[in-house]
Amino acid sequence: LQELNDHFAPICTDENYTGPAAVVIDSDREIPEISERRQVWNSLRALKRTATGSDMIPYWVLKEHAEILMPVITKVWNLSISTHCWPSSWKYANINPFPKVDFPKAKGNYREINITPMIARAFEKIAYRSHAQEVIEYHLCLTQYAYREGSNCTGTLLAMQHRINEFLDNPDCRAVRLYYGF
């Protein structure tokens, strides 16, 4: 276990890192706010069982005590948006090794899974859906299925099969070549 820890530590740490320059925000712009009932409540109540992050707060604490925690979480999230500052405790992650092969024998046979605190993941989801999703999805190619809400591998495979069948339905088509890369 210590050997894996020593392997992943340099990957997840950059001693030469310098923080980004302070962003000058136009004071005329209205700072968006996260609504307590609609966004925070719904986000906390929709939490699913998942791995606990570095804060060691399990999903069920946030989910079951959403009504009590909702005002505080709303305040912290809105403060984070208005100050453009992410709480440093949300930046820490538990790093779990996950095998790439059936029987891993070397350090390189593992990849790291970073598990951040649940509250940070919920905030990221709300911020993305509220302020970025529409713009990002607008710029995605129609044939791109990754990073789209509701898209999945099944949809991708069905679209590919449909396109292949369209070619094969053409009487002039003798073969269809398919290239796939990871």
Side-chain angles (χ1 to χ4, degrees):
L1 191 60
Q2 185 60 41
E3 188 177 336
L4 282 174
N5 190 33
D6 293 341
H7 173 71
F8 288 131
I11 295 171
C12 299
T13 306
D14 185 0
E15 294 174 8
N16 298 322
Y17 174 77
T18 55
V23 177
V24 178
I25 304 298
D26 184 7
S27 60
D28 295 341
R29 282 193 186 215
E30 182 180 333
I31 296 173
E33 282 196 359
I34 293 174
S35 69
E36 191 170 279
R37 271 286 172 202
R38 188 173 65 85
Q39 291 175 305
V40 177
W41 169 262
N42 289 340
S43 176
L44 295 177
R45 295 302 297 163
L47 291 175
K48 303 243 186 290
R49 181 182 181 138
T50 185
T52 303
S54 59
D55 61 0
M56 301 304 290
I57 300 173
Y59 83 99
W60 63 266
V61 170
L62 297 170
K63 184 173 184 164
E64 296 301 319
H65 302 291
E67 192 155 346
I68 297 167
L69 297 171
M70 185 176 49
V72 175
I73 292 173
T74 304
K75 180 93 170 159
V76 170
W77 285 358
N78 281 322
L79 187 61
S80 183
I81 290 173
S82 66
T83 62
H84 312 287
C85 185
W86 185 263
S88 60
S89 63
W90 293 359
K91 297 177 186 178
Y92 294 105
N94 290 341
I95 300 171
N96 296 338
F98 190 78
K100 296 179 188 177
V101 296
D102 289 336
F103 300 104
K105 295 184 190 235
K107 297 178 287 192
N109 290 341
Y110 291 91
R111 65 184 164 107
E112 72 276 3
I113 303 293
N114 300 326
I115 303 171
T116 55
M118 181 76 62
I119 194 164
R121 286 181 267 164
F123 177 69
E124 286 174 345
K125 194 177 283 188
I126 282 182
Y128 174 75
R129 285 185 177 155
S130 301
H131 308 296
Q133 183 175 12
E134 186 177 320
V135 174
I136 289 172
E137 288 192 5
Y138 176 78
H139 287 91
L140 292 177
C141 176
L142 292 175
T143 58
Q144 181 174 342
Y145 289 84
Y147 310 109
R148 288 189 188 274
E149 189 168 341
S151 291
N152 55 34
C153 292
T154 304
T156 305
L157 293 170
L158 288 172
M160 287 172 52
Q161 182 180 12
H162 176 71
R163 191 77 174 127
I164 290 167
N165 287 336
E166 281 181 336
F167 284 116
L168 292 174
D169 286 343
N170 183 343
D172 296 332
C173 179
R174 293 185 182 189
V176 175
R177 288 188 180 146
L178 182 66
Y179 296 95
Y180 176 78
F182 287 99

